[in-house]
Amino acid sequence: MKRILTILSLMMVMATLGACAPARPTAPSVSATQGPTVDVAAMDTSRDIVLAVANPMDPPAMHAGSNLVGYASAGHYGASQRAISTLDALKSRYGIHEVTGWPIKTLDLYCIVLEPPPGMSRDAMLATLSRDERVQLAQPLQDYKVYSDAARDAHHYNDPYAELQRGFVETDAALAHHFSQGAGVHVAIIDTGVDMMHPDLRDNIREARNLVDDDVAAFNRDSHGTEVAGIITAEGDNHQGIVGMAPHAELSIYKACWYARAPGDGAHCNSFTLAKALAAVMDTDARIINLSLGGPADPLLNRLLAQLLQQGRIVVAALPPKGNGIGFPSALPGVIVVGASGGPAATPGMLSAPGKDILTTQPGGGYDFTSGSSMAAAHVSGIAALLLAIAPRLDGAKVNELLQRSSGSTHGVEEVNAASAVTALRAQQLAAH
């Protein structure tokens, strides 16, 4: 009977969701990527190569017109004189064509995306470059996709759709909110863009960066990132929409994925855009990084993500749809991998969270239902924020252990529980004192 009433309620809500969006304010600013603009959608992941050379920053010269990045042209933003010379020599030697380039300060590298010369295969070019001692890294430019398909003493919210949020209800988030709502925790979302004007999101977004292009309108129309952001930190008690798992947490948005021109093809990212996003997060105090996406293993991305993990960041990734974690980012040790409850069989160490028919925010100030392990990962990122607000020094291993130990059965399916995790953490703290 309860299931029938829920379905009837959903039907009534869906008939009115589009009419419930309030007046639209001015959009917050979105920072564009530094350096020359490039059409990342036109990059060829079946042929292009990522190449990296050493990029030691030259000391500042003592005469007018000098700077810390040498006399780099606009096409080599952030490149040292040594990196520029090395790249020029490699281009001359091998006849390669540079598509774009960018620095990765934390690794002391300058990377370019290049096209092999006509008549030479990518594999042959990679083999040649791997033998050149001037090359620090050479790998394929790879493609990544986002993972989406389309009665207790709890905190009572005035948000009209709160009771229709399957994940929020099943994980007992309202109970957990008596003790934590994620205040002071900074979460980085690497995904598509997000509707920066959405009334349930705009006050919780600290900053946004576009690592794909300069199209602000497209940034605000992107659905996947908007859905993930709503699950993590939609504002509570504002008389509209839904409530996030951690409604007082702060978000930083890094657009590294874009929607393909072909309808229904979903959102894609590549090694170039993801590397820029990961490097950008290193310059922030974000403790949690949500990666609701995935694809093949990637040496450059693995190096960047490993460094973020070494810095104590908590990285939450979505399980690939086929249930294997052999690629990026889910295969990297230390990453918290999350699958949708009732989906592919959980492997040891993997978490399960609600990921089917999840009501969340949509572009244009609206709300709708969506599914996928992307949404499951977002639930776990939100719970991690609740835990960090209580114990800021928790690391990823401890968060994962708490969530594993406090998971329970909901309708016969094992999944994370926000209230149980918060209770377990508080009990540990009391025992320690």
Side-chain angles (χ1 to χ4, degrees):
M1 183 64 183
K2 184 178 179 180
R3 175 65 175 168
I4 295 173
L5 289 175
T6 300
I7 293 172
L8 291 174
S9 298
L10 295 183
M11 293 174 65
M12 293 175 65
V13 169
M14 293 308 297
T16 59
L17 285 179
C20 293
R24 307 281 279 163
T26 302
S29 62
V30 179
S31 300
T33 181
Q34 292 177 304
T37 301
V38 61
D39 183 4
V40 296
M43 292 180 180
D44 187 352
T45 54
S46 68
R47 181 163 173 79
D48 291 350
I49 289 172
V50 176
L51 177 145
V53 298
N55 190 38
M57 300 313 295
D58 301 327
M62 301 303 293
H63 54 272
S66 62
N67 57 57
L68 285 173
V69 295
Y71 299 101
S73 67
H76 284 102
Y77 172 83
S80 66
Q81 287 294 326
R82 175 178 167 185
I84 294 171
S85 298
T86 301
L87 288 171
D88 286 345
L90 290 171
K91 291 176 188 176
S92 177
R93 172 69 178 82
Y94 300 118
I96 56 181
H97 169 67
E98 178 179 345
V99 177
T100 189
W102 78 105
I104 300 181
K105 291 188 299 180
T106 187
L107 299 181
D108 292 324
L109 296 176
Y110 191 85
C111 295
I112 67 169
V113 175
L114 65 87
E115 297 173 347
M120 190 174 207
S121 71
R122 178 161 72 176
D123 287 346
M125 187 77 259
L126 284 169
T128 298
L129 291 172
S130 67
R131 293 190 294 267
D132 194 309
E133 63 182 13
R134 296 168 295 184
V135 174
Q136 298 290 312
L137 178 148
Q139 64 170 71
L141 177 74
Q142 301 187 114
D143 182 64
Y144 298 83
K145 295 182 179 181
V146 301
Y147 295 149
S148 66
D149 306 326
R152 299 199 212 173
D153 182 22
H155 183 95
H156 295 286
Y157 285 96
N158 60 35
D159 306 84
Y161 310 144
E163 294 302 315
L164 301 176
Q165 294 178 251
R166 177 174 175 266
F168 185 85
V169 172
E170 288 185 2
T171 61
D172 292 323
L175 279 171
H177 287 180
H178 275 296
F179 306 104
S180 174
Q181 295 189 28
V185 179
H186 183 191
V187 182
I189 297 177
I190 298 177
D191 209 286
T192 67
V194 169
D195 180 2
M196 299 284 288
M197 299 182 291
H198 199 292
D200 252 343
L201 298 176
R202 61 175 183 255
D203 291 337
N204 287 340
I205 296 177
R206 179 193 290 192
E207 68 168 341
R209 295 191 59 182
N210 190 341
L211 288 313
V212 172
D213 51 38
D214 299 319
D215 192 338
V216 175
F219 192 102
N220 283 282
R221 289 194 304 267
D222 285 350
S223 59
H224 192 269
T226 304
E227 293 163 356
V228 168
I231 292 169
I232 296 174
T233 190
E235 187 175 352
D237 278 335
N238 61 348
H239 293 280
Q240 55 193 353
I242 63 171
V243 187
M245 298 297 292
H248 289 177
E250 294 183 308
L251 295 181
S252 288
I253 311 300
Y254 297 87
K255 177 171 179 172
C257 309
W258 66 96
Y259 283 92
R261 295 185 176 96
D265 198 22
H268 291 254
C269 337
N270 64 29
S271 306
F272 167 66
T273 56
L274 288 172
K276 291 202 295 181
L278 292 169
V281 173
M282 289 187 190
D283 294 329
T284 75
D285 63 354
R287 286 297 317 282
I288 300 169
I289 303 169
N290 189 94
L291 289 164
S292 289
L293 52 86
D298 186 286
L300 177 60
L301 298 183
N302 283 351
R303 286 175 66 175
L304 287 164
L305 195 58
Q307 187 153 342
L308 285 163
L309 289 165
Q310 290 169 6
Q311 294 172 350
R313 322 281 183 149
I314 296 168
V315 179
V316 180
L319 181 73
K322 293 183 179 180
N324 62 69
I326 60 173
F328 174 87
S330 54
L332 203 67
V335 172
I336 298 175
V337 183
V338 189
S341 305
T347 56
M350 191 193 83
L351 297 171
S352 293
K356 181 176 175 60
D357 298 330
I358 303 301
L359 180 63
T360 186
T361 46
Q362 295 290 335
Y367 305 86
D368 205 345
F369 297 91
T370 188
S371 299
S373 60
S374 286
M375 311 308 140
H379 282 94
V380 168
S381 289
I383 299 175
L386 300 181
L387 298 174
L388 283 182
I390 297 172
R393 295 188 178 183
L394 286 176
D395 59 17
K398 188 60 179 176
V399 169
N400 195 20
E401 186 270 331
L402 272 168
L403 292 172
Q404 292 280 359
R405 182 158 50 87
S406 60
S407 291
S409 179
T410 303
H411 305 307
V413 177
E414 190 80 6
E415 62 186 13
V416 295
N417 187 281
S420 296
V422 166
T423 299
L425 176 59
R426 296 181 73 244
Q428 285 184 3
Q429 291 182 318
L430 288 172
H433 291 85

